[in-house]
Amino acid sequence: MSANAWRLDSGGRIDRTQRLSFRFDGSAYQGFAGDTLASALLANGVRIAGRSFKLHRPRGLFGSWCEEPNTIVQIGRGADLVPNLKATQVELFDGLDARSVNCWPSARLDVFAPLQLLAGLMPAGFYYKTFMWPNWHWFEPLVRRAAGLGVAPTLPDPDRYEERYEHCDVLVIGGGPAGLAAALAATRAGARIVLVDDRPVLGGALQWEEHIIDGQPALHWVSAVESELRAAARTRVLQRTTAFGCYDHNLVALCERSERTSPTAVRERLWHVRAAQVVLATGAIERPVVFPNNDVPGVMLASAAMNYAVQYAVRPGQRAVFVTSCDSAYDAAEALRARGITVVAIVDVRGEPGDSATSAARAGIPVMAGYGPARVHGARVTRGIEVRPLEQGAKSWRSDHVQRLDCDVLCVSGGWTPSVHLFSQVGGRLRYAPERAALVPAADLSTIRCAGSASGSFAVQDCLSEGFAAGREAAHLTGAAAECGVTPAALAKHAGVAPFWASPRDRRRKAWVDLQNDVTRGDLELAVRENLHSIEHVKRYTTAGMAVDQGKTSNMNALALLAELTGRRIPDVGTTDPRNVSRPARWSVLSSAAPHAPRPLAHRARRRVGRLRGLEASRLVRCARRFPGGARQIREARRADCGKPFRWFAARQNRSTRPRRSRFSKPHVLQQHAHSRRGPSPLRHHAQRARDHY
């Protein structure tokens, strides 16, 4: 296939004058500046770009950013090796060398693919009941070789890393319409602002959705707002910056990625930002639908297909079918049709879709209202889909009539899930909103508020108004009272959605809930039969939501299916607790502080690093470096900052520093757990320390 055979002749936000060469799984390809690795692979016709973890089933691109569960790669070689990156978040650069993980020799041809034939022997939780007889140690080497995804580098990291500290009045997380509106209001009010966004460009979904804001195209509005923010003396804008942790007293940890301008440039920068007020405009993630064979390459989110076509000028396919339960998929279908892609049909599970379906029908797009997906045809690539009419309520099929629609890309949209990971980290409570079919924040905290899609408002006008109001209120609470101006206005548009989690059960075929960990609907049923009714227990038994994407596309469906299987309402099932680091962060940047002379408190933290979790130990070390006077200086600084004594570090100083003796402190046990083929393990370091200690 010729280079960029699936690239559109015009359009996109890419620089066609700057052609870039890269390699993937040993093959050479070409892309353009502005591409991601995922969009460049799609433009070159690469349809199988990954393999699932347990069964090594072929996987294609499913999302377009952090929600991607399938295409996990490692880039570089030797000391420059970086494992377990999402291809959708890797910016393309000349000379990029990437390889897919969890397969050999390549994702397209994987020698472990026959494991699919043993799926019946490896249901959910099989590892809890097998490998026990005659002796676990017989199986341990094989299990350890199969564990993990990428290969850890064995050479010292040659890159440079930094850490910075920042204080501000208002921290706005998210650069979409709500985040830009919040930053604009707070800047005009005169507050000291930090705006962070994890993408290379601001705008969020406005980069590929077509809207009119304040009488001008959305991208023009984004450019005008960005110029105003950068011109303000008290506003800092950080792009390519991920907020991965939100802690007590509004301490937010950020990881800033720099452009690859030179080999000696700082690769990543760790920011410690202390804000008086925080506005979370983190957006929402589109949710898939569970139905048989929904993991075949060519099945992707509707928003991802629209993103690739509009922002990157890449055809996700030649013939597209949309399966949806919400109005946003109609905009994606119209965007693809306008770029020469044939939209075979829009299969809407709702019996009465509304005005969006009427507009699509006028444009010549067939709409099949009241139909649902029965199964996907194809094994290594999507060939078509079978649809059947649904009963009212979509719990069963209305008839046995089956209609096949031939297509090579299937775009799914089951609604939107607000990104509330940071909000939940600091103790924010969620409630289920049936009219939005999503878990949304129950109430804002005193110093943290959600706005836009993160609060469950998915229409652009609602995002703008909520973001502007949140930024203005946050700025006023910090004492900035200047006039903020008029709220940005966009064309009001209904964003209707109906709860539809899965097609009626088909026991002959597998319906996939978590694509990376190979969790099926049958696995959830097995967990319930094993008397596991808690969502936390089901999550650990089936590993649903425990993949690299941390359940961004699977958690809500698993939650709803568990409620259905146990006869409970979704609010009664509860939610899982998000991990302390909501987005992956490299150890190199977490330990980016420059070496200093050891001081008593820092030495104590190093001795106890095996006992502390997360960032606790590194924070203790860095706090000791900043406050050489010890606990008294810390309390004085804390009292000056917040007016309250800071007792945490003082209490830490008064505790015993001798490590507790546990089974992981015994040298022989540590050496046993440290055995791994995937590079040096931190447990080996602890094993050596324990051997020296005892």
Side-chain angles (χ1 to χ4, degrees):
M1 182 175 292
S2 61
N4 289 279
W6 293 78
R7 184 80 67 177
L8 296 172
D9 296 333
S10 61
R13 322 279 187 245
I14 56 176
D15 184 2
R16 297 176 185 264
T17 63
Q18 189 175 353
R19 191 178 292 271
L20 305 176
S21 299
F22 70 99
R23 300 182 68 85
F24 177 73
D25 278 349
S27 299
Y29 301 100
Q30 287 187 340
F32 295 107
D35 268 324
T36 63
L37 176 59
S39 65
L41 289 174
L42 195 61
N44 283 275
V46 177
R47 288 299 181 262
I48 299 177
R51 291 279 171 168
S52 63
F53 175 65
K54 185 169 69 173
L55 301 178
H56 288 256
R57 289 177 62 87
R59 293 285 188 259
L61 287 168
F62 190 74
S64 61
W65 195 244
C66 65
E67 73 278 6
E68 172 62 30
N70 293 338
T71 313
I72 312 301
V73 300
Q74 58 185 30
I75 64 174
R77 293 181 181 274
D80 294 323
L81 179 66
V82 182
N84 292 349
L85 299 176
K86 299 175 183 178
T88 51
Q89 294 182 292
V90 176
E91 296 182 53
L92 196 67
F93 60 90
D94 196 47
L96 171 66
D97 187 3
R99 300 193 67 87
S100 51
V101 302
N102 198 48
C103 58
W104 187 84
S106 67
R108 186 173 179 272
L109 182 62
D110 184 15
V111 298
F112 298 101
L115 284 175
Q116 304 172 49
L117 304 177
L118 304 178
L121 301 178
M122 294 186 291
F126 77 98
Y127 32 80
Y128 294 121
K129 306 172 184 177
T130 55
F131 307 126
M132 303 296 181
W133 183 89
N135 192 320
W136 151 250
H137 298 291
W138 290 18
F139 308 98
E140 183 180 9
L142 179 62
V143 173
R144 289 193 180 279
R145 288 180 64 87
L149 293 175
V151 178
T154 58
L155 299 177
D157 191 344
D159 295 325
R160 289 181 54 216
Y161 302 89
E162 286 184 354
E163 69 171 346
R164 298 280 297 275
Y165 294 85
E166 182 67 70
H167 288 74
C168 63
D169 296 327
V170 181
L171 171 64
V172 180
I173 301 176
L180 288 176
L184 183 64
T187 297
R188 290 176 177 176
R192 185 171 48 173
I193 307 300
V194 174
L195 170 65
V196 303
D197 188 67
D198 61 347
R199 295 179 181 264
V201 292
L202 297 178
L206 297 181
Q207 288 290 333
W208 61 87
E209 293 182 0
E210 298 178 355
H211 298 281
I212 301 296
I213 302 176
D214 286 347
Q216 56 186 328
L219 286 181
H220 294 178
W221 179 82
V222 170
S223 299
V225 172
E226 182 178 358
S227 299
E228 183 175 346
L229 294 177
R230 293 190 183 278
R234 292 167 60 83
T235 297
R236 183 192 295 271
V237 179
L238 297 176
Q239 295 169 226
R240 297 183 177 88
T241 304
T242 301
F244 62 84
C246 194
Y247 306 99
D248 293 340
H249 309 291
N250 286 3
L251 174 65
V252 181
L254 311 176
C255 178
E256 180 187 7
R257 307 178 304 277
S258 63
E259 296 186 73
R260 292 177 175 266
T261 54
S262 70
T264 59
V266 174
R267 178 59 57 86
E268 293 184 4
R269 184 176 289 111
L270 178 66
W271 289 82
H272 306 258
V273 179
R274 183 85 67 177
Q277 295 286 324
V278 178
V279 177
L280 297 178
T282 47
I285 294 173
E286 195 167 26
R287 189 171 56 243
V289 177
V290 179
F291 54 92
N293 295 353
N294 61 331
D295 69 326
V296 178
V299 179
M300 65 171 56
L301 297 175
S303 61
M306 185 180 183
N307 189 1
Y308 289 125
V310 178
Q311 185 173 0
Y312 302 107
V314 177
R315 294 186 187 92
Q318 300 287 357
R319 295 172 57 84
V321 170
F322 284 77
V323 174
T324 183
S325 64
C326 61
D327 292 341
S328 61
Y330 287 86
D331 295 333
E334 176 57 32
L336 266 61
R337 188 188 70 84
R339 285 157 180 80
I341 301 169
T342 302
V343 179
V344 179
I346 299 178
V347 181
D348 198 323
V349 301
R350 299 172 295 180
E352 298 178 357
D355 296 338
S356 298
T358 305
S359 300
R362 289 200 197 103
I365 301 176
V367 178
M368 304 180 68
Y371 278 73
R375 70 168 174 136
V376 175
H377 286 273
R380 295 173 61 87
V381 67
T382 299
R383 304 291 184 187
I385 181 175
E386 290 182 359
V387 297
R388 295 174 61 180
L390 290 164
E391 287 283 2
Q392 187 71 23
K395 297 297 183 182
S396 60
W397 301 115
R398 189 168 70 242
S399 69
D400 294 333
H401 173 69
V402 177
Q403 184 173 347
R404 172 168 173 165
L405 305 174
D406 292 330
C407 62
D408 58 357
V409 59
L410 178 62
C411 307
V412 297
S413 178
W416 295 82
T417 300
S419 296
V420 291
H421 308 82
L422 295 176
F423 182 75
S424 298
Q425 277 186 18
V426 292
R429 298 295 181 181
L430 306 178
R431 66 176 181 86
Y432 178 70
E435 71 280 3
R436 301 169 186 172
L439 291 168
V440 301
D444 291 333
L445 304 178
S446 58
T447 58
I448 299 178
R449 65 200 75 246
C450 297
S453 298
S455 67
S457 300
F458 305 128
V460 173
Q461 177 55 49
D462 296 338
C463 292
L464 293 172
S465 58
E466 284 190 12
F468 199 82
R472 179 176 54 203
E473 182 180 355
H476 289 173
L477 289 175
T478 63
E483 180 59 37
C484 299
V486 181
T487 303
L491 181 64
K493 191 173 183 180
H494 181 62
V497 61
F500 181 76
W501 317 106
S503 295
R505 183 76 164 95
D506 184 352
R507 298 192 177 278
R508 297 174 299 171
R509 301 179 179 90
K510 296 182 181 296
W512 306 88
V513 179
D514 191 307
L515 296 178
Q516 187 178 120
N517 279 353
D518 288 315
V519 180
T520 66
R521 186 174 184 172
D523 292 331
L524 298 178
E525 295 174 351
L526 175 61
V528 173
R529 290 199 300 271
E530 297 275 7
N531 202 31
L532 299 175
H533 290 184
S534 168
I535 184 61
E536 292 286 0
H537 293 162
V538 172
K539 172 183 176 180
R540 285 154 178 79
Y541 186 79
T542 63
T543 70
M546 296 176 65
V548 173
D549 70 327
Q550 285 296 291
K552 291 180 175 61
T553 58
S554 61
N555 270 354
M556 195 63 207
N557 285 334
L559 191 70
L561 289 174
L562 180 62
E564 179 182 328
L565 292 171
T566 57
R568 294 179 291 174
R569 301 182 305 119
I570 291 179
D572 299 333
V573 175
T575 61
T576 58
D577 293 329
R579 293 185 182 271
N580 193 22
V581 178
S582 61
R583 301 279 182 90
R586 296 172 63 177
W587 282 113
S588 301
V589 72
L590 294 180
S591 58
S592 57
H596 293 271
R599 297 188 176 108
L601 192 57
H603 177 67
R604 179 172 300 172
R606 291 191 186 94
R607 288 188 61 188
R608 300 174 58 191
V609 69
R611 293 174 55 188
L612 301 178
R613 292 184 176 181
L615 293 176
E616 192 176 0
S618 59
R619 266 194 286 172
L620 193 58
V621 173
R622 292 167 188 153
C623 195
R625 291 168 180 161
R626 294 184 64 197
F627 303 100
R632 179 176 300 176
Q633 186 179 356
I634 293 173
R635 285 196 298 270
E636 292 174 357
R638 182 60 182 167
R639 188 180 296 109
D641 189 26
C642 297
K644 296 179 181 179
F646 193 12
R647 304 180 183 277
W648 188 81
F649 285 107
R652 286 288 183 187
Q653 281 189 308
N654 293 332
R655 295 185 185 180
S656 171
T657 61
R658 188 177 188 277
R660 290 179 295 180
R661 191 180 182 100
S662 66
R663 72 184 187 94
F664 285 105
S665 297
K666 299 177 182 179
H668 68 281
V669 177
L670 279 168
Q671 192 64 36
Q672 172 185 332
H673 282 265
H675 175 69
S676 172
R677 75 177 181 91
R678 300 182 181 273
S681 168
L683 286 176
R684 287 180 180 151
H685 168 67
H686 297 314
Q688 184 63 42
R689 287 181 52 211
R691 189 181 300 108
D692 296 340
H693 181 76
Y694 290 98

